[in-house]
């Protein structure tokens, strides 16, 4: 058994590039989302301009803290999150960490969503923690 060749029914299709993978099957009505992340570690979003992203052909929606659906119970999870934190994704304009999602661009294609996400502009007020010396 060990070392014996294994018959691969899809082997010829894979090595010739003819195989069809799951991502290659068309799905009607499929949309794509790209997250816009914060570029600061701590602060507040004072201005978020998503108008250029919304104007991109194929962009269906741009969700921000201003228009995202509110989470039940203020974002408090059914289980206790670490350090008493709440799930604050797109719920307010506070930034708690670098790379925090601040917007979501939804479009008909991945390329349209990516391009729209690149056009979202945020202005921040940076909070600097007090230094204890």
């Amino acid at each position: 058994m060990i070392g014996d060749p294994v018959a691969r029914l899809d082997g010829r299709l894979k090595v010739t590039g003819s195989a069809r993978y799951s991502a290659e099957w068309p799905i009607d009505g499929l949309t794509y989302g790209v997250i816009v992340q914060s570029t600061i570690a701590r602060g507040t979003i004072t201005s978020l301009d998503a108008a250029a992203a919304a104007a991109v052909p194929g962009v269906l929606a741009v969700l921000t803290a201003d228009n995202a659906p509110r989470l039940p119970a203020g974002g408090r999870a059914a289980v206790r999150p670490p350090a008493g934190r709440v799930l604050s994704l797109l719920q307010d304009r506070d930034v708690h960490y670098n790379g925090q999602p601040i917007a979501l661009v939804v479009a008909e294609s991945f390329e349209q969503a990516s391009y729209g996400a690149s056009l979202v502009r945020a202005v921040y007020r940076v909070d600097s923690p007090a230094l204890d010396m």
Side-chain angles (χ1 to χ4, degrees):
M1 289 279 185
I2 296 176
D4 288 345
V6 177
R8 297 285 308 251
L9 298 176
D10 59 351
R12 183 171 303 281
L13 294 173
K14 287 183 176 179
V15 299
T16 61
S18 302
R20 198 163 187 191
Y21 294 88
S22 58
E24 298 172 324
W25 291 91
I27 299 173
D28 292 335
L30 183 67
T31 59
Y32 298 82
V34 172
I35 294 173
V36 178
Q37 298 176 315
S38 70
T39 57
I40 63 168
R42 182 177 172 182
T44 304
I45 300 169
T46 59
S47 166
L48 189 72
D49 184 6
V56 171
V59 169
L60 304 172
V62 180
L63 296 176
T64 68
D66 297 333
N67 64 356
R70 299 294 109 194
L71 293 173
R76 296 203 185 338
V79 294
R80 181 169 289 192
R85 294 286 307 267
V86 296
L87 183 62
S88 60
L89 299 176
L90 304 181
Q91 297 299 296
D92 57 39
R93 290 176 164 245
D94 295 332
V95 176
H96 302 284
Y97 56 91
N98 185 46
Q100 175 180 322
I102 59 170
L104 173 68
V105 179
V106 180
E108 295 171 352
S109 74
F110 176 72
E111 293 76 16
Q112 292 165 328
S114 295
Y115 180 60
S118 75
L119 299 176
V120 174
R121 297 290 176 249
V123 176
Y124 305 97
R125 183 185 73 239
V126 179
D127 299 337
S128 46
L131 297 175
D132 294 326
M133 297 196 158

